[in-house]
């Protein structure tokens, strides 16, 4: 069984701002590049070819699209205290990808928390305590940077036991097939 995640790895001109915040607050900074999660981590024995085919069907006909991220908000749930960089443009496209990817062979892997809805974001941090979380929220509240790019592909990562991200495949939006 493999533990996988399906995501977008956006590339921004001002990526160092994101990485600087992640170095302070994200325990996964050394394991995975900044990303927008489309399908949350799941363990399965789905074959790579079957997964590739499902994703290719979902994304065929969806052209590359612009995204803009801006503003940091805090999010608290049962799994922790988080800092989110908000998607302010491209939400509709990302949400549509999320909804469509969780059909078919991935339907059994849809986590219960998504029943409340999906809010596209890029995680900047995960904090262990409420005090650390409140301090982090205050420290980054004034960030006014905007992050813009074009999303042109969807990536599947295998999550190694040490939490490292191993890219299994990348598929170009609007095409059947893969760039890798």
């Amino acid at each position: 069984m493999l533990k996988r995640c399906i995501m977008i790895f956006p590339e921004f001109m001002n990526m160092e701002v994101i990485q600087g915040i992640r170095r302070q607050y994200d325990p996964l900074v050394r394991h995975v590049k900044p990303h927008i999660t489309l399908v949350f981590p799941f363990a399965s024995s789905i074959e790579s070819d079957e997964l590739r085919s499902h994703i290719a069907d979902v994304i065929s006909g969806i052209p590359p699209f612009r995204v803009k991220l801006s503003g940091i908000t805090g999010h608290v749930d049962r799994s922790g205290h988080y800092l989110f960089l908000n998607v302010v443009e491209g939400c509709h496209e990302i949400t549509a990808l999320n909804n469509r990817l969780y059909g078919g062979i991935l339907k059994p892997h849809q986590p219960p928390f998504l029943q409340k809805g999906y809010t596209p974001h890029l995680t900047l941090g995960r904090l262990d305590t409420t005090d650390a979380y409140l301090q982090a929220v205050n420290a980054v509240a004034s960030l006014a940077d905007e992050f813009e790019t074009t999303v042109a592909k969807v990536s599947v990562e295998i999550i190694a036991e040490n939490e490292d991200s191993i890219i299994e495949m990348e598929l170009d939006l609007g095409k059947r097939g893969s760039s890798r």
Side-chain angles (χ1 to χ4, degrees):
M1 236 188 225
L2 292 175
K3 186 175 179 184
R4 293 178 169 118
C5 187
I6 303 174
M7 50 189 49
I8 295 166
F9 289 107
E11 307 234 350
F12 303 110
M13 296 296 289
N14 48 347
M15 188 68 86
E16 186 51 41
V17 175
I18 290 171
Q19 286 297 79
I21 295 169
R22 288 186 72 222
R23 278 192 288 277
Q24 287 183 280
Y25 303 114
D26 190 351
L28 296 178
V29 68
R30 287 181 174 26
H31 301 283
V32 62
K33 296 186 306 185
H35 61 277
I36 299 168
T37 302
L38 296 171
V39 172
F40 290 87
F42 64 99
S44 78
S45 54
I46 296 171
E47 295 292 329
S48 291
D49 289 342
E50 188 180 8
L51 184 58
R52 178 185 305 277
S53 178
H54 171 70
I55 296 168
D57 287 345
V58 165
I59 68 174
S60 67
I62 298 175
F65 59 93
R66 299 280 309 152
V67 294
K68 180 162 72 170
L69 287 77
S70 178
I72 299 174
T73 55
H75 176 80
V76 178
D77 64 25
R78 282 187 273 161
S79 64
H81 304 77
Y82 297 90
L83 297 177
F84 288 171
L85 178 59
N86 303 306
V87 176
V88 296
E89 182 182 323
C91 285
H92 176 75
E93 293 87 347
I94 294 170
T95 300
L97 282 168
N98 167 268
N99 291 335
R100 291 174 65 182
L101 285 165
Y102 272 120
I105 62 172
L106 293 178
K107 181 76 172 156
H109 302 287
Q110 186 172 22
F113 66 81
L114 285 180
Q115 292 174 355
K116 294 179 181 178
Y118 169 73
T119 303
H121 64 275
L122 189 151
T123 301
L124 293 174
R126 180 174 180 202
L127 294 300
D128 293 329
T129 67
T130 301
D131 285 344
Y133 164 74
L134 293 173
Q135 288 176 10
V137 168
N138 287 332
V140 298
S142 64
L143 179 75
D145 294 56
E146 293 184 340
F147 305 87
E148 298 182 58
T149 193
T150 298
V151 173
K153 62 186 169 185
V154 171
S155 301
V156 177
E157 73 164 353
I158 295 171
I159 304 169
E161 284 188 34
N162 68 354
E163 299 294 332
D164 279 354
S165 172
I166 302 162
I167 301 303
E168 179 180 14
M169 65 184 85
E170 295 180 317
L171 290 92
D172 294 326
L173 290 177
K175 300 177 184 176
R176 284 195 67 85
S178 168
S179 61
R180 192 169 150 174

